[in-house]
C-alpha cells in the first residue's frame, strides 16, 4: 500500500508537470466516460430497472397474444382471456392486467387530469409493491363490476396535491365525477408498470365502465384491451411459461369452438423488449446508443494510448535509469499503470460531472406530448459502479500497451549522454499508426450511423405519409372528466364542429379518437367480412379509429372510392365504416369493398368508402388494415379536434379554444399543437438517434483527427534532421508537403476503408430504426467519407507545413 | 591470498556483437579481465573503442554475445531479467556522465529510489538516504528538485544514489564528463574517498588526469584490452 501511495504521489506530480498532456487526456476521457455513463443511466432505466419500485423486475414479463397468420404483431388480452390464463397456469406466480388511462380526479372542487392505470386486484402483489401508506388492492377488488370504487395514488401526486397529508387515506374523492375512496399511497419510487411513463393513479379493473364511460368491455372475449404482466415462478424459464400459456390458449380455443384460439400463440417479453409500449420505442435505440458510446470510448482510449506512447519516448531515459537501479519490468509497468489509472480516474470524475448534466438531456429530447413521459434516470450506485468499471478498464486498456512498450527497450543506449536512440521506435510508430487507423475506422462507423439517422429524420419530415400535415392544428378535449354521457357528448361534438367551421380562415374541421402516428397506442378488433371466408388460423382483423365528418378532407387523406363520413352519419342512421386500401385489398380481394358489409359484434355495418393507406402507429411499419367509424355514430369521449385553416395553426388555437369554452367553459382543453409537431413526436427514435449519434460522431471525428495530427506532428518532430537533409539536398516545399500529407492520408484512407467495411457489415443492425433510407445508402457513405478525408487533410496540413519550414542549417546542427 | 578468489569481477573471452540490418559490429572482441574487491580500476580508450559497452555489460544493463562473466563468484551472463534486476539493485551502483536523476523526483526521492525497489521499510530507507546524502554533502538539499541544483551537486546526488544501497561495486561512466574542472575534481575526490573507505570502483574515462586516480588503468582499443597500467607506472607517463 505504501508503494502504491508513493507511486500515486509521483504519478500526480508527473501529470501536474505535464499539464498540456494531462488536460488533453483528461478531457478526452471525461467526454467519453461521461458519454458512456450518460447512456448507461438511460439504458439502465430501460433494461435494468424498467419498473422502479418493483421487486425483482427481471422476472416480470409482458404477456401478449399473437393470432395465427397475423403478421402485424402481438395484441393485448381480453378480460376473459386474462381470467383463463391467470387461473389455469402453473408457471407464473401471478398474472395481472393493466390498461393506461387518463382520468379526472376531484378532491377539492378542482378536477385534476391524471394519467393512471386500470389494474387487476392482484396487480400490486404481482409486482411486489407495498403501499407506503394505507393499502393496495386485493383480489376482493376484482369481485364484481362497479363494486370497488377505491384508488391508490402515487407518492408524487400525494406530495404534489395533498402535501403529503397522512389523513388522505380514506378520503372521498370524485374520479370522472363518480365517488371513489383513496385507500393507499404507492411507494416513492413506484411509477406504474408502463415503461417510460410516470403514472399517478391506479383503479381496479372492475371500475372500467366508470373510468371509460360508454364501453363495458369486461366480458367481451374478442375485445383485447388489457396488457398482461406475469411474474415467473422461481426456477421456471420464460420458454416454459410461454409454452404453457400457448397451450392454455389452445384449450380456450378448443372449448369455445367459435373462437380462433387454436393456433394462437402467447408471447412473454421482458419489460424493455415488449413489442409495444415504451420498450418497443426505447429498447432498440438504446442498444444502438450503447454500442455507439462504446465506440467513442474505444476512440478515446486509442487517443490517450497514442498520447502515452508519444510521452513514453520522452521518458525512455527515466525508464532506463529506473531499470539500472534495479527496478524490474513489472515495477515499471505497475508505475505506468498507476499513472494511467490516475488519468482515467480524473477523466472518470469529470465524466460523472458531465453525466450528471447528460442525465437530464434525455428528458429534454422526449417528444412534446401530454403523456407523462420520463425515465427513472439517475446517477445511482449502479451507474457509479459502471463508471468505476469503465474507468478502470479504460485506464488498463490505454495504459497497458504503452506501459509494456515503454519498458521493453534496452537500457544502456538510453542512458548515454546525448543519446537520441529510441528503442523500439519503429514498433511504436507502427502501433501509433494502428491506433490512428482504428480511430478513423470507428469514426467512420459513428458518422455513417449518425448520417443514416439524420437522413431518416429528414425522411420523416418529407416522407409521403399520405397526409397533408401543413396547416392542421390539434386540440384535445376530455369529456370524461366533465361527466358527458353519449347523447350529451355527441351533441357537443356536433355543435363544436359547426362553430369551429365558422371560424375565420378555417377550411375544414373534424374529430378523431386516435391521431395517427401519436404515442397513444392503437386499437384493433376482429370481425367477419361478408363474402370472405377467413382461414381458420387467420381471422379478419384491423386497426380501428373513430373519426368525425370531413376527417379525410381535413387530414388531406385521399378518398380512393365511395364517400367519407358526413354530419348525417350518426346514431339515427345505418352504421357505416370507411376502410383503407390495405383492408379493401385483403378482404375484398379484387372485388368492390364499397357496398360490402362487415359484422362487428352482432351488428352488420356497410363500407361506404376507401381511403388511401396512411401509417397509423409508426412511419416505419407498413400500413395495416384499418377502418374508420363515425364518432357521431359510435361515441367516444376522448376525441381530438382537427382544424385545417390558412396560415400557422398556432394562430387559430385561441379561436378554437374559445369555441370550445363557448360551449362549456369548464371543459379542459389540452394537447394544443400542430399536426406537424405531433408527427415529429413519432420520429422520436430518429431524432434521438441523429442528435446523440451526431454529437458522438463529431466527438469521435475530433478525437480521431487529434490522434492523426498527433502522430504526424510527432513523426515530423522526430524527423527534423531528415527534413533538414532533404531540404539541403534540394527537396522542394511541394515534395515535403506531399510526403507528410501522403503519410497522414494513407492512415486516414486505411481507416476509412476499414470503417466502411464495418459500417457495411453492421448496417443491418440499425435498419429497423431507419426510415426511407437503406443501411448501405451510397450518399451517406460518400458524404461521410468525403467529410472525414477533408478533416484528415486539415489535420495533416499543420504538421506538413511545419515540415516545410525546417531550416536545414539549424536541423543539421541539431544532435 | 589468491587473487582469483578475491576477484569481484572476472571476465573471460567476453564478446559483444551488434547487428544492425546487415552490418555486424564487434564492440568487444574477447575481453579477459579481473577486478579485485576494493580495487579502483579505470577503463580508458578512444571514442568507440567499446569501453561503455563493457561497462553496460559489467552493470548487467546489457548481455555479452559470448564469454563468461562472474560477479562475486556467481556467473551472471545467463541470468533472467528479474535476477539481473535484483543484482543491479543490490550489488551495483551506477554513476552516469549525465547524472540521470529523475526530474519529477526531489533529491531525497531520487536517492531513495533503489531502496524502494528492494522493498525496504520506510524508516530504514530514511536512515540510509540521510546517511548517503550526508556523505556527499547534500543533506541540506534533500527537498530540491534536480533542476534546482548545479551540475556538480546533481552528480553528488547521483553518487549518493549509487552508494545508498551499499553495493559491491560502483560503476562510473565518465562521471566528470559534464562538469567543469572544479566540480569534476570534487567528484573525483569523492570517488577517492569512497575507495579509501573500501568501495570497489570501476570507472570509464578518456581523461588521463582522472584515470590517474585509479589503482589500475585498462586500455581498450577496438574491443580488446591492449594495455594495463598501475598507478605507479602511469604516474610518470602523465607527469
Amino acid at each position: 500500500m505504501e508503494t502504491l501511495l508513493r507511486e500515486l504521489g509521483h504519478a500526480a506530480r508527473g501529470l501536474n508537470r505535464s499539464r498540456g498532456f494531462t488536460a488533453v487526456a483528461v478531457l478526452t476521457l471525461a467526454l467519453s466516460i461521461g458519454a458512456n455513463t450518460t447512456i448507461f443511466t438511460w439504458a439502465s432505466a430501460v433494461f435494468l430497472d424498467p419498473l422502479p419500485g418493483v421487486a425483482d423486475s427481471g422476472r416480470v414479463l409482458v404477456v401478449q397474444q399473437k393470432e395465427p397468420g397475423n403478421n402485424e404483431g402481438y395484441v393485448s388480452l381480453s378480460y376473459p382471456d386474462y381470467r383463463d390464463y391467470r387461473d389455469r397456469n402453473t408457471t407464473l406466480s401471478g398474472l395481472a392486467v393493466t390498461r393506461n388511462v387518463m382520468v379526472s380526479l376531484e378532491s377539492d372542487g378542482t378536477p385534476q387530469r391524471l394519467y393512471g392505470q386500470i389494474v387487476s386486484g392482484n396487480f400490486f402483489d404481482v409486482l411486489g409493491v407495498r403501499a407506503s401508506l394505507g393499502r393496495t388492492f386485493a383480489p376482493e377488488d376484482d369481485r364484481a363490476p362497479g363494486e370497488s370504487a377505491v384508488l391508490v395514488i402515487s407518492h408524487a401526486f400525494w406530495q404534489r396535491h395533498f402535501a403529503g397529508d397522512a389523513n388522505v387515506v380514506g378520503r372521498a374523492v370524485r374520479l370522472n365525477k363518480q365517488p371513489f375512496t383513496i385507500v393507499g399511497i404507492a411507494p416513492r419510487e413506484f411509477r406504474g408498470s408502463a415503461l417510460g411513463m410516470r403514472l399517478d393513479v391506479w383503479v381496479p379493473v372492475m371500475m372500467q365502465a366508470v373510468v371509460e364511460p360508454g364501453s363495458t368491455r369486461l366480458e367481451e372475449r374478442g375485445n383485447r384491451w388489457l396488457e398482461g404482466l406475469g411474474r415467473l415462478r422461481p426456477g421456471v424459464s420464460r420458454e416454459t411459461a410461454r409454452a404453457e400459456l400457448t397451450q392454455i390458449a389452445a384449450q380456450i380455443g378448443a372449448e369455445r369452438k367459435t373462437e380462433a384460439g387454436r393456433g394462437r400463440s402467447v408471447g412473454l417479453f421482458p419489460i424493455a423488449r415488449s413489442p409495444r409500449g415504451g420498450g418497443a420505442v426505447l429498447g432498440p435505440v438504446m442498444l444502438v446508443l450503447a454500442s455507439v458510446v462504446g465506440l467513442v470510448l474505444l476512440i478515446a482510449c486509442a487517443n490517450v494510448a497514442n498520447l502515452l506512447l508519444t510521452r513514453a519516448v520522452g521518458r525512455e531515459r527515466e525508464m532506463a535509469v529506473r531499470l539500472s537501479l534495479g527496478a524490474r519490468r513489472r515495477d515499471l509497468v505497475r508505475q505506468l499503470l498507476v499513472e494511467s489509472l490516475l488519468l482515467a480516474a480524473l477523466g472518470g470524475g469529470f465524466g460523472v460531472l458531465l453525466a450528471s448534466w447528460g442525465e437530464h438531456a434525455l428528458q429534454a429530447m422526449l417528444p412534446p406530448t401530454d403523456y407523462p413521459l420520463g425515465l427513472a434516470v439517475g446517477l445511482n450506485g449502479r451507474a457509479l459502479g459502471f463508471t468505476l468499471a469503465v474507468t478502470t478498464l479504460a485506464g488498463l486498456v490505454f495504459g497497458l500497451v504503452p506501459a509494456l512498450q515503454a519498458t521493453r527497450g534496452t537500457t544502456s543506449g538510453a542512458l548515454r549522454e546525448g543519446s537520441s536512440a529510441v528503442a523500439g521506435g519503429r514498433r511504436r510508430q507502427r502501433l501509433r499508426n494502428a491506433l490512428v487507423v482504428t480511430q478513423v475506422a470507428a469514426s467512420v462507423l459513428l458518422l455513417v450511423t449518425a448520417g443514416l439517422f439524420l437522413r431518416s429524420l429528414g425522411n420523416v419530415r418529407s416522407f409521403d405519409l399520405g397526409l397533408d400535415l401543413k396547416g392542421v392544428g390539434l386540440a384535445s378535449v376530455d369529456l370524461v372528466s366533465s361527466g358527458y354521457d353519449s347523447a350529451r357528448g355527441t351533441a357537443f361534438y356536433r355543435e363544436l364542429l359547426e362553430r369551429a367551421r365558422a371560424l375565420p380562415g378555417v377550411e375544414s374541421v373534424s374529430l378523431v379518437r386516435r391521431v395517427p402516428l401519436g404515442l397513444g397506442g392503437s386499437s384493433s378488433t376482429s370481425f367477419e367480412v361478408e363474402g370472405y371466408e377467413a382461414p381458420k388460423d387467420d381471422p379478419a382483423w384491423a386497426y380501428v379509429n373513430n373519426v368525425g365528418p370531413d376527417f379525410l378532407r381535413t387530414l388531406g387523406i385521399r378518398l380512393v372510392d365511395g364517400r367519407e363520413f358526413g354530419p348525417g352519419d350518426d346514431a339515427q342512421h345505418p352504421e357505416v365504416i370507411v376502410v383503407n386500401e390495405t383492408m379493401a385489398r385483403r378482404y375484398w380481394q379484387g372485388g368492390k369493398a364499397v357496398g360490402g358489409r362487415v359484422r362487428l359484434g352482432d351488428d352488420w355495418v356497410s363500407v361506404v368508402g376507401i381511403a388511401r393507406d396512411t401509417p397509423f402507429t409508426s412511419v416505419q411499419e407498413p400500413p395495416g388494415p384499418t377502418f374508420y367509424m363515425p364518432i357521431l355514430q359510435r361515441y367516444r369521449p376522448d376525441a381530438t379536434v382537427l382544424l385545417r385553416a390558412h396560415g400557422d395553426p398556432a394562430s387559430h388555437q385561441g379561436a378554437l379554444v374559445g369555441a370550445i369554452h363557448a360551449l362549456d367553459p369548464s371543459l379542459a382543453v389540452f394537447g394544443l399543437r400542430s399536426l406537424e409537431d405531433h408527427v415529429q413526436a413519432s420520429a422520436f427514435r430518429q431524432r434521438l438517434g441523429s442528435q446523440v449519434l451526431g454529437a458522438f460522431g463529431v466527438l469521435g471525428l475530433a478525437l480521431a483527427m487529434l490522434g492523426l495530427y498527433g502522430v504526424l506532428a510527432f513523426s515530423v518532430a522526430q524527423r527534423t534532421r531528415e527534413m533538414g537533409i532533404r531540404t539541403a539536398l534540394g527537396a522542394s516545399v511541394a515534395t515535403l508537403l506531399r510526403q507528410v500529407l501522403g503519410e497522414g492520408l494513407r492512415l486516414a484512407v486505411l481507416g476509412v476503408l476499414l470503417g466502411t467495411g464495418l459500417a457495411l457489415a453492421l448496417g443491418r443492425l440499425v435498419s429497423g430504426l431507419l426510415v426511407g433510407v437503406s443501411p448501405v445508402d451510397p450518399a451517406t457513405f460518400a458524404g461521410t467519407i468525403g467529410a472525414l478525408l477533408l478533416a484528415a487533410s486539415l489535420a495533416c496540413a499543420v504538421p506538413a507545413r511545419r515540415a516545410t519550414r525546417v531550416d536545414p542549417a539549424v536541423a543539421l546542427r541539431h544532435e | 591470498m589468491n587473487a582469483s578468489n578475491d576477484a569481484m569481477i572476472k571476465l573471460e573471452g567476453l564478446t559483444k556483437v551488434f547487428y544492425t540490418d546487415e552490418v555486424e559490429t564487434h564492440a568487444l572482441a574477447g575481453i579477459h579481465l579481473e577486478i579485485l574487491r576494493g580495487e579502483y580500476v579505470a577503463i580508458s580508450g578512444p571514442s568507440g573503442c567499446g569501453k561503455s559497452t563493457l561497462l553496460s555489460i559489467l552493470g548487467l544493463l546489457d548481455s555479452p554475445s559470448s564469454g563468461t562473466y562472474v560477479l562475486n563468484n556467481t556467473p551472471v551472463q545467463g541470468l533472467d531479467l528479474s535476477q539481473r534486476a535484483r543484482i543491479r539493485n543490490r550489488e551495483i551502483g551506477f554513476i552516469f556522465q549525465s547524472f540521470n536523476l529523475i526530474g519529477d523526483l526531489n533529491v531525497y526521492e531520487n536517492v531513495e529510489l533503489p531502496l524502494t525497489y528492494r522493498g525496504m521499510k520506510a524508516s530504514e530507507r530514511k536512515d540510509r538516504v540521510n546517511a548517503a546524502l550526508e556523505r556527499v554533502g547534500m543533506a541540506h538539499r534533500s527537498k530540491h528538485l534536480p533542476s534546482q541544483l548545479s551540475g556538480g551537486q546533481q552528480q553528488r546526488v547521483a553518487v549518493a544514489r549509487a552508494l545508498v544501497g551499499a553495493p559491491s561495486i560502483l560503476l562510473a561512466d565518465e562521471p566528470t564528463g559534464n562538469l567543469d574542472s572544479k566540480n569534476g575534481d570534487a567528484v573525483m575526490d569523492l570517488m577517492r574517498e569512497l575507495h579509501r573507505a573500501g568501495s570497489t570502483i570501476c570507472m570509464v574515462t578518456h581523461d588521463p588526469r582522472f584515470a590517474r586516480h585509479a589503482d589500475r588503468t585498462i586500455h581498450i582499443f577496438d574491443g580488446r584490452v591492449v594495455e594495463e597500467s598501475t598507478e605507479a607506472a602511469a604516474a610518470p607517463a602523465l607527469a
Side-chain angles (χ1 to χ4, degrees):
Chain A
M1 180 53 84
E2 189 252 336
T3 305
L4 195 66
L5 287 176
R6 188 178 60 247
E7 286 179 348
L8 203 58
H10 291 171
R13 219 180 306 164
L15 294 181
N16 186 41
R17 279 164 65 88
S18 314
R19 286 185 196 152
F21 158 81
T22 306
V24 172
V26 168
L27 181 66
T28 303
L29 291 168
L31 287 171
S32 59
I33 293 174
N36 272 272
T37 303
T38 300
I39 298 301
F40 178 82
T41 59
W42 297 3
S44 167
V46 173
F47 293 111
L48 301 180
D49 195 14
L51 301 180
V54 171
D56 196 11
S57 62
R59 295 193 71 76
V60 176
L61 301 168
V62 174
V63 181
Q64 296 194 325
Q65 302 178 127
K66 188 169 189 173
E67 300 297 340
N70 176 358
N71 293 323
E72 278 76 13
Y74 285 85
V75 295
S76 304
L77 311 181
S78 68
Y79 191 72
D81 282 345
Y82 156 65
R83 255 190 331 230
D84 286 336
Y85 290 131
R86 181 194 65 193
D87 297 341
R88 298 185 191 189
N89 90 79
T90 58
T91 48
L92 301 175
S93 61
L95 175 63
V97 280
T98 73
R99 176 177 174 78
N100 297 346
V101 289
M102 188 181 73
V103 298
S104 165
L105 190 75
E106 209 174 320
S107 65
D108 51 7
T110 314
Q112 295 269 319
R113 199 161 49 80
L114 299 176
Y115 285 88
Q117 290 182 306
I118 294 173
V119 298
S120 53
N122 61 352
F123 172 75
F124 289 100
D125 283 343
V126 169
L127 296 185
V129 173
R130 304 275 164 266
S132 64
L133 202 63
R135 71 172 177 93
T136 58
F137 300 145
E140 294 75 58
D141 292 311
D142 272 349
R143 219 164 20 216
E147 280 190 4
S148 293
V150 293
L151 54 89
V152 172
I153 60 173
S154 72
H155 194 279
F157 181 64
W158 178 48
Q159 292 292 327
R160 198 167 69 229
H161 190 71
F162 297 105
D165 178 7
N167 295 321
V168 81
V169 173
R171 183 175 296 184
V173 293
R174 294 178 78 78
L175 187 140
N176 290 354
K177 301 288 181 188
Q178 300 299 315
F180 272 73
T181 304
I182 297 173
V183 294
I185 315 293
R188 182 189 295 273
E189 317 78 46
F190 186 65
R191 299 160 160 230
S193 67
L195 173 63
M197 292 182 81
R198 289 186 302 257
L199 302 170
D200 278 329
V201 60
W202 292 272
V203 185
V205 71
M206 287 295 140
M207 303 307 290
Q208 178 269 332
V210 174
V211 179
E212 298 182 310
S215 72
T216 49
R217 315 178 184 209
L218 277 175
E219 292 309 320
E220 292 178 13
R221 190 173 282 272
N223 199 331
R224 300 180 192 107
W225 56 291
L226 292 163
E227 188 94 57
L229 280 177
R231 181 182 285 280
L232 285 176
R233 275 190 195 285
V236 174
S237 73
R238 182 150 64 105
E239 184 46 38
T240 306
R242 195 199 64 77
E244 190 197 33
L245 292 176
T246 298
Q247 202 176 10
I248 294 170
Q251 283 170 11
I252 299 169
E255 290 163 14
R256 305 177 58 83
K257 293 186 175 52
T258 55
E259 285 291 326
R262 277 164 299 183
R264 178 191 287 168
S265 62
V266 174
L268 290 181
F269 304 96
I271 303 290
R273 301 278 174 84
S274 170
R276 293 146 64 93
V281 174
L282 293 168
V285 80
M286 284 303 162
L287 284 178
V288 172
L289 291 181
S291 315
V292 159
V293 288
L295 272 182
V296 172
L297 186 64
L298 176 73
I299 295 175
C301 284
N303 221 26
V304 178
N306 237 334
L307 288 171
L308 285 172
L309 280 171
T310 307
R311 191 168 184 251
V313 174
R315 297 179 66 185
E316 183 156 87
R317 178 171 293 206
E318 178 195 331
M319 293 300 123
V321 170
R322 287 177 183 271
L323 283 170
S324 74
L325 295 177
R328 291 156 301 183
R329 192 175 177 205
R330 67 166 180 263
D331 294 323
L332 300 188
V333 170
R334 188 187 60 227
Q335 185 210 333
L336 291 174
L337 281 182
V338 165
E339 289 184 18
S340 330
L341 288 170
L342 181 60
L343 265 183
L346 287 169
F350 285 112
V352 167
L353 286 181
L354 290 176
S356 66
W357 168 79
E359 70 178 288
H360 304 296
L362 179 63
Q363 195 69 31
M365 274 186 256
L366 290 175
T369 169
D370 281 327
Y371 290 97
L373 299 183
L375 285 169
V377 172
L379 272 175
N380 50 22
R382 185 189 280 144
L384 293 176
F386 169 82
T387 308
L388 184 65
V390 165
T391 301
T392 309
L393 185 69
L396 291 175
V397 166
F398 71 69
L400 194 58
V401 174
L404 291 174
Q405 282 283 330
T407 56
R408 201 166 168 171
T410 54
T411 53
S412 51
L415 291 168
R416 287 188 197 128
E417 170 66 13
S419 165
S420 63
V422 179
R426 201 173 291 175
R427 195 167 49 226
R428 269 184 214 161
Q429 186 63 39
R430 273 203 299 271
L431 185 58
R432 275 194 293 269
N433 290 349
L435 288 170
V436 166
V437 169
T438 308
Q439 285 177 284
V440 173
S443 295
V444 170
L445 197 54
L446 276 178
L447 289 170
V448 164
T449 315
L452 291 173
F453 273 87
L454 201 61
R455 291 210 63 191
S456 295
L457 186 64
N459 285 344
V460 172
R461 290 199 179 106
S462 61
F463 222 41
D464 181 10
L465 299 170
L467 302 166
D468 181 6
L469 303 178
K470 287 204 185 317
V472 179
L474 312 178
S476 301
V477 287
D478 175 18
L479 300 186
V480 180
S481 318
S482 300
Y484 280 65
D485 60 15
S486 169
R488 200 173 146 226
T490 307
F492 172 84
Y493 284 153
R494 195 182 283 281
E495 183 71 18
L496 175 61
L497 288 171
E498 273 179 31
R499 281 175 180 260
R501 208 174 286 126
L503 293 173
V506 171
E507 292 177 35
S508 65
V509 185
S510 190
L511 295 160
V512 64
R513 181 175 176 231
R514 293 192 185 279
V515 185
L517 298 173
L519 299 174
S522 60
S523 300
S524 65
T525 188
S526 52
F527 48 80
E528 196 179 320
V529 180
E530 190 176 42
Y532 171 80
E533 189 158 344
K536 281 202 171 72
D537 58 354
D538 188 9
W541 77 277
Y543 291 117
V544 57
N545 205 354
N546 301 60
V547 304
D550 288 338
F551 169 74
L552 300 181
R553 185 175 149 224
T554 306
L555 286 194
I557 300 173
R558 187 165 55 84
L559 183 68
V560 177
D561 195 10
R563 68 171 178 88
E564 73 161 313
F565 305 136
D569 290 312
D570 57 19
Q572 282 72 51
H573 290 86
E575 287 197 276
V576 291
I577 58 171
V578 169
V579 302
N580 73 347
E581 293 171 295
T582 299
M583 180 162 168
R585 261 197 315 273
R586 185 175 296 184
Y587 300 124
W588 280 274
Q589 295 170 342
K592 198 163 162 54
V594 175
R597 294 201 308 162
V598 165
R599 190 162 81 173
L600 295 169
D602 295 331
D603 305 322
W604 283 97
V605 300
S606 300
V607 178
V608 295
I610 301 176
R612 188 189 160 180
D613 280 343
T614 57
F616 190 32
T617 54
S618 150
V619 290
Q620 285 143 277
E621 287 176 16
T626 305
F627 70 83
Y628 303 99
M629 307 172 77
I631 201 165
L632 298 180
Q633 200 162 61
R634 290 218 177 193
Y635 172 73
R636 298 293 311 182
D638 47 349
T640 295
V641 185
L642 307 167
L643 187 96
R644 176 175 288 284
H646 298 293
D648 183 1
S651 64
H652 299 279
Q653 280 176 356
L656 179 59
V657 173
I660 294 168
H661 283 158
L663 288 170
D664 183 348
S666 68
L667 207 57
V669 183
F670 58 95
L672 290 162
R673 63 210 184 276
S674 71
L675 184 59
E676 284 183 295
D677 286 345
H678 170 84
V679 170
Q680 277 307 304
S682 71
F684 164 67
R685 296 193 297 186
Q686 287 71 32
R687 195 170 51 253
L688 181 69
S690 59
Q691 287 177 350
V692 178
L693 286 173
F696 289 157
V698 170
L699 174 62
L701 178 68
L703 292 178
M705 292 308 108
L706 188 66
L708 183 60
Y709 165 81
V711 162
L712 272 193
F714 179 73
S715 167
V716 168
Q718 288 288 97
R719 289 154 59 199
T720 303
R721 187 178 164 86
E722 176 197 323
M723 297 299 166
I725 294 169
R726 285 175 184 273
T727 307
L729 293 177
S732 67
V733 168
T735 310
L736 292 176
L737 267 177
R738 244 194 334 269
Q739 187 197 343
V740 180
L741 275 175
E743 191 181 318
L745 287 177
R746 223 177 359 257
L747 297 179
V749 167
L750 270 176
V752 163
L753 288 175
L754 183 62
T756 304
L758 284 171
L760 288 171
L762 301 175
R764 61 188 173 78
L765 298 180
V766 294
S767 59
L769 297 167
L770 304 178
V771 179
V773 61
S774 153
V776 293
D777 177 50
T780 305
F781 274 76
T784 303
I785 291 169
L788 205 139
L789 290 179
L790 181 68
S793 305
L794 292 174
C796 299
V798 178
R801 198 169 152 72
R802 199 172 296 152
T804 64
R805 291 187 167 178
V806 169
D807 180 343
V810 174
L812 294 174
R813 270 203 306 274
H814 191 68
E815 302 183 15
Chain B
M1 187 199 288
N2 186 329
S4 288
N5 287 343
D6 207 29
M8 170 74 70
I9 283 173
K10 188 173 180 187
L11 306 180
E12 283 183 1
L14 202 77
T15 69
K16 179 69 183 177
V17 185
F18 292 109
Y19 298 92
T20 315
D21 293 330
E22 292 174 3
V23 181
E24 270 186 27
T25 307
H26 292 262
L28 298 177
I31 299 277
H32 297 272
L33 175 69
E34 274 190 5
I35 298 175
L36 303 181
R37 206 174 299 279
E39 196 178 12
Y40 188 168
V41 174
I43 299 173
S44 72
S47 185
C49 70
K51 55 188 188 297
S52 288
T53 302
L54 177 59
L55 200 72
S56 292
I57 290 173
L58 291 178
L60 300 185
L61 293 174
D62 211 343
S63 307
S65 301
S66 64
T68 58
Y69 172 14
V70 177
L71 175 67
N72 259 342
N73 298 318
T74 307
V76 293
Q77 74 274 7
L79 298 180
D80 65 24
L81 289 174
S82 181
Q83 290 167 320
R84 292 155 72 90
R86 183 183 156 82
I87 291 178
R88 273 200 303 272
N89 182 256
R90 288 167 187 266
E91 307 287 346
I92 299 166
F94 279 102
I95 302 164
F96 303 102
Q97 179 182 353
S98 50
F99 327 133
N100 282 334
L101 298 177
I102 293 175
D104 286 340
L105 306 183
N106 64 27
V107 164
Y108 181 94
E109 289 163 337
N110 264 291
V111 177
E112 184 190 31
L113 203 54
L115 304 183
T116 64
Y117 295 131
R118 205 178 280 192
M120 190 182 277
K121 281 184 183 167
S123 55
E124 192 181 346
R125 285 203 308 265
K126 188 176 175 188
D127 294 344
R128 288 222 196 183
V129 172
N130 287 336
L133 286 173
E134 287 288 350
R135 198 162 170 191
V136 299
M138 289 299 293
H140 63 296
R141 299 280 189 160
S142 65
K143 297 293 177 199
H144 286 63
L145 288 172
S147 57
Q148 296 168 309
L149 305 178
S150 69
Q153 287 173 320
Q154 287 191 49
Q155 193 60 301
R156 278 151 68 185
V157 173
V159 172
R161 183 178 65 184
L163 57 87
V164 70
S168 302
I169 184 166
L170 287 174
L171 300 178
D173 188 0
E174 304 276 11
T176 58
N178 275 7
L179 301 176
D180 57 31
S181 59
K182 187 178 161 203
N183 278 308
D185 288 343
V187 166
M188 290 315 294
D189 289 345
L190 183 57
M191 301 270 283
R192 197 157 45 196
E193 268 178 46
L194 293 172
H195 173 233
R196 280 182 190 145
S199 292
T200 309
I201 298 175
C202 176
M203 175 179 69
V204 163
T205 181
H206 64 271
D207 189 332
R209 286 185 305 122
F210 296 132
R212 197 181 51 192
H213 289 262
D215 301 331
R216 182 160 59 109
T217 300
I218 295 162
H219 299 272
I220 294 183
F221 188 78
D222 280 352
R224 294 174 195 277
V225 176
V226 292
E227 187 188 343
E228 282 192 37
S229 54
T230 59
E231 188 186 3
L238 295 168

